[in-house]
Amino acid sequence: MILYYINRAKNVYHWPTAQYHFSGCPISDNCVRFKKILCNFDAMTTAQFKISPSRLAAGIMKKWLADNWWMLAIAPTVSLMLAVMGDLRFLFVALIMIFVVIPPVMFIVYFYYGMTPAARYSILLHRVTADTAGLHIIYEAEDENTSPPRPELIGWADIAETRLDNDNLYIHLRKPRYSLVIIPVDKLSSDNTSTDINTSAAPMSVAREWLDFSQKSIQSLA
């Protein structure tokens, strides 16, 4: 009966009809708002959150440096070696590289990789629901005068890897390169939604459950 009236309202108000799947239960994106009423979803949902641009930049740079540190180290290292061999002019060259050249390069890297549309997955106010289909990004209104973007689905096939530290869960996307979704550890559970995870557990315990689930979902598509 509830679904009947929702479908009638959707036809009258022209609600969007992008499909979402929670444990094999396809519903429209607007039905996500009624998930606690319509059915008991086998999914994990975060609390409402958003990430600051500076934290996103730090996550991007950490991954970029892990892959490309050698590009920044070659010139200063060679200059220091030449300085040790007796030509102190190369010491100044190395210092210039470290303190003048490399910092702007880091800013360029951030603006190139951090200003992509994928940044919205972290910096806008939203919740994230993980199920067998992937990650459902459900945006929330910032205030009463704005309407949130439509929900989006990131399939597990579009995710390269996930990793965890003491503060955040990092979900690295395949494209664009170095784009990622950052979820704070203390936001990985929500008492307001149905979940397989015991939300009263310690945050790191919940985070490890998310990490294990996401890694298994990615590996199942390999």
Side-chain angles (χ1 to χ4, degrees):
M1 182 62 70
I2 295 175
L3 284 173
Y4 171 78
Y5 285 108
I6 290 175
N7 289 329
R8 285 195 60 184
K10 179 178 66 176
N11 293 331
V12 172
Y13 295 106
H14 304 288
W15 288 359
T17 57
Q19 294 296 309
Y20 288 83
H21 298 269
F22 292 87
S23 299
C25 178
I27 58 175
S28 69
D29 50 11
N30 288 276
C31 290
V32 171
R33 300 179 182 275
F34 300 90
K35 63 185 177 181
K36 289 184 288 184
I37 301 174
L38 299 179
C39 51
N40 183 21
F41 294 102
D42 181 20
M44 300 181 294
T45 301
T46 69
Q48 181 177 281
F49 72 97
K50 65 178 180 179
I51 296 298
S52 65
S54 61
R55 188 184 297 189
L56 178 62
I60 292 173
M61 294 312 306
K62 185 181 296 185
K63 177 64 175 176
W64 189 89
L65 286 173
D67 293 342
N68 303 286
W69 61 269
W70 56 272
M71 296 175 61
L72 300 179
I74 287 177
T77 300
V78 171
S79 298
L80 288 173
M81 291 176 60
L82 293 174
V84 170
M85 293 173 62
D87 193 338
L88 295 180
R89 291 176 298 179
F90 285 100
L91 176 61
F92 293 102
V93 172
L95 293 175
I96 291 172
M97 293 291 296
I98 294 171
F99 294 106
V100 178
V101 177
I102 292 179
V105 170
M106 303 298 288
F107 279 109
I108 293 172
V109 169
Y110 167 67
F111 280 108
Y112 185 80
Y113 293 110
M115 297 291 106
T116 64
R120 68 187 182 276
Y121 300 144
S122 295
I123 64 176
L124 296 182
L125 187 64
H126 65 291
R127 300 175 186 268
V128 178
T129 294
D131 63 8
T132 55
L135 299 180
H136 302 262
I137 312 296
I138 306 169
Y139 299 103
E140 305 285 347
E142 296 276 356
D143 54 58
E144 296 180 354
N145 299 321
T146 60
S147 57
R150 294 178 57 179
E152 299 182 73
L153 172 64
I154 305 174
W156 292 117
D158 299 321
I159 298 174
E161 64 173 337
T162 57
R163 59 185 179 86
L164 178 68
D165 62 18
N166 292 330
D167 298 314
N168 303 296
L169 175 68
Y170 300 90
I171 302 170
H172 295 273
L173 308 183
R174 296 188 184 278
K175 294 181 180 179
R177 193 177 183 188
Y178 297 115
S179 58
L180 73 164
V181 180
I182 301 177
I183 306 177
V185 167
D186 60 355
K187 301 295 184 180
L188 281 171
S189 63
S190 173
D191 292 334
N192 297 324
T193 56
S194 176
T195 174
D196 286 341
I197 293 178
N198 180 9
T199 56
S200 63
M204 283 306 298
S205 176
V206 176
R208 292 188 187 95
E209 292 282 354
W210 272 80
L211 181 67
D212 183 63
F213 176 76
S214 60
Q215 289 179 339
K216 288 181 178 179
S217 298
I218 296 169
Q219 292 171 1
S220 68
L221 300 174

